[in-house]
Amino acid sequence: MAATHLLTFLFWQTTIPLTPLLEPGAEAICWPFLPACHAWRVLSAGQWEVVLWAYLALGVASVALFARAKLASWAWWVLLALNVVKLLIVLQDFQLRQNQHYMAGLASAVFLFVPGKRLLLRVLVASFYAWAGLLKLNAEWLSGAALPEPVWLFEGRWLAVACSYVVALEVLLIWGMFSRRGWVFWSTALQLAAFHVFSWPIVGFFYPTLMFLLLAIFVLDRRWPATAAPRLGRAGMAVLLLFSAAQVKSHVVPGDSALTGEGRLFAVHMFDALVQCEATALVKTVDGRAKRVNLFRPLPARIRCDPLIYWNRANQLCRQLKASGVGGDLDLTLRSRRSSDPEMTPVLDVRRYCALAPAYSIWFHNPWILSESGRSDFGVPKK
């Protein structure tokens, strides 16, 4: 658990640098439950560097303290502080959303607060794989079309075979990690290791390395087994029930959640479809001028076509129009498609966006996001 923070620091230093993302003046893409995050940009690039190196120091201290059994209580508090600092950083901007943070954070919360963690952590990690595999039960993944990069050694129909094997591994074979038979356990572990090695060129180092750390829980438990049979208990069952409910939510909102993003905010965020999109705003000033603005940004593949991104960017344009004193409004459009779809599908088509000022609901369907019918049931502009 402590080592995941050292890995996070390395990721933020090399892959998604925080300082240009969070310094004053940088465009803010806010989480929907914190829509005013643009007002938080008060730390300079140098101050963010200090925060990051302090975060690393806490991570190193946590690892060192856990290495000494007599200092375990201190290690608990340092790990708690690490997770609070990391959460506060991630909440600064939706662009920091990573499936890795979600899984590491949930596993850390279980480790810190939930009784019966020895068994619960293993079931939770296995559930990460199982729900990710169920998410991949679609034509895009099973054909290999969902992958943004080629896979070593696999192409054509063999790529489809490999992708189908991944689903079987994550949904079914993962439970072999609980087997008492050595050959079942170790053969499953080797298959998972091979899967993550092959995924490295596609998703980068962060996800495979994090999963190696989480899978180490199984190895450590096998090396030093519990003296008594572990049980989940009521708290553990409640955690698994809530986690599973979060994964199901995307199936009870209208529309294709791969395109709309709805219902996925608190769920695992794996590759299941490669989505392409085009987003524009037609900005109209009160003096009759009109300008079309390309809103698309080459963000990470999992979020670049999420309507939440363009909700944020449109909100910023509205603030700029208001601050300029010129006045005006804009029409927001987003068209998206899965890689296997022949043409783009309208996802957003909001006229007079600034006047309507749509809010983003994290619990229910947003009426300004188009449903299966291709029509919005969004209401009348605010006066």
Side-chain angles (χ1 to χ4, degrees):
M1 295 296 100
T4 63
H5 294 280
L6 305 184
L7 181 64
T8 299
F9 171 83
L10 180 62
F11 176 72
W12 279 341
Q13 285 290 89
T14 61
T15 307
I16 298 185
L18 288 190
T19 50
L21 192 66
L22 300 180
E23 64 184 344
E27 181 183 13
I29 303 296
C30 299
W31 291 82
F33 45 82
L34 297 170
C37 74
H38 59 276
W40 304 352
R41 302 303 171 91
V42 295
L43 296 183
S44 66
Q47 290 170 324
W48 273 115
E49 283 294 330
V50 172
V51 170
L52 274 177
W53 285 100
Y55 174 71
L56 174 63
L58 272 178
V60 172
S62 181
V63 172
L65 289 170
F66 273 116
R68 301 290 299 274
K70 294 181 179 180
L71 300 176
S73 59
W74 284 96
W76 188 94
W77 284 104
V78 175
L79 183 60
L80 175 61
L82 271 168
N83 281 281
V84 170
V85 171
K86 180 179 178 179
L87 179 61
L88 290 175
I89 292 174
V90 171
L91 290 179
Q92 297 290 314
D93 200 291
F94 183 74
Q95 296 172 82
L96 295 176
R97 179 183 186 180
Q98 295 284 332
N99 207 44
Q100 296 90 324
H101 302 322
Y102 173 87
M103 295 187 293
L106 189 53
S108 293
V110 166
F111 178 82
L112 289 168
F113 300 114
V114 184
K117 66 192 69 169
R118 190 182 188 106
L119 176 58
L120 178 57
L121 275 172
R122 288 183 289 146
V123 176
L124 182 64
V125 172
S127 298
F128 290 156
Y129 284 100
W131 281 107
L134 291 173
L135 192 64
K136 296 182 178 81
L137 284 173
N138 60 66
E140 284 79 14
W141 176 268
L142 295 175
S143 67
L147 297 174
E149 302 289 341
V151 180
W152 290 335
L153 305 179
F154 294 97
E155 59 182 21
R157 70 172 186 173
W158 290 110
L159 178 60
V161 170
C163 289
S164 299
Y165 156 77
V166 168
V167 173
L169 174 64
E170 292 186 316
V171 176
L172 301 174
L173 301 182
I174 182 62
W175 304 106
M177 296 297 289
F178 294 88
S179 176
R180 294 182 178 180
R181 297 183 179 182
W183 72 269
V184 175
F185 175 88
W186 289 110
S187 65
T188 305
L190 287 173
Q191 290 178 78
L192 290 169
F195 163 55
H196 289 303
V197 168
F198 275 89
S199 73
W200 194 298
I202 300 172
V203 299
F205 74 90
F206 192 16
Y207 174 65
T209 309
L210 176 76
M211 296 315 298
F212 286 140
L213 290 174
L214 295 181
L215 288 170
I217 297 170
F218 291 89
V219 179
L220 293 172
D221 178 78
R222 195 172 186 88
R223 176 64 180 82
W224 291 282
T227 55
R231 296 183 179 181
L232 287 176
R234 292 182 178 179
M237 293 299 294
V239 168
L240 293 175
L241 182 61
L242 287 172
F243 171 74
S244 298
Q247 315 313 310
V248 172
K249 192 175 187 305
S250 64
H251 299 285
V252 298
V253 293
D256 183 351
S257 65
L259 303 184
T260 68
E262 292 192 290
R264 292 192 171 197
L265 194 64
F266 302 110
V268 290
H269 202 216
M270 300 288 187
F271 277 125
D272 62 307
L274 185 60
V275 180
Q276 301 169 345
C277 62
E278 51 189 30
T280 60
L282 181 60
V283 181
K284 308 172 186 176
T285 57
V286 293
D287 58 7
R289 290 178 296 172
K291 178 182 179 181
R292 190 170 297 277
V293 179
N294 180 11
L295 295 182
F296 178 78
R297 285 184 60 187
L299 298 174
R302 291 183 180 92
I303 66 170
R304 68 178 52 160
C305 291
D306 194 319
L308 180 58
I309 299 294
Y310 304 103
W311 173 74
N312 269 282
R313 302 208 73 194
N315 287 343
Q316 178 163 321
L317 283 176
C318 291
R319 290 193 297 269
Q320 291 173 352
L321 278 172
K322 184 177 181 180
S324 69
V326 175
D329 212 321
L330 63 89
D331 298 336
L332 174 65
T333 60
L334 171 66
R335 293 165 53 82
S336 306
R337 72 178 184 93
R338 290 171 175 256
S339 57
S340 60
D341 293 338
E343 57 185 22
M344 295 283 190
T345 298
V347 178
L348 297 178
D349 187 9
V350 185
R351 309 295 172 174
R352 298 184 62 197
Y353 180 93
C354 300
L356 288 166
Y360 193 107
S361 172
I362 63 175
W363 304 114
F364 305 104
H365 168 60
N366 290 279
W368 49 275
I369 297 178
L370 303 184
S371 61
E372 302 99 320
S373 64
R375 299 178 60 188
S376 173
D377 53 349
F378 199 49
V380 179
K382 294 182 180 179
K383 294 183 179 179

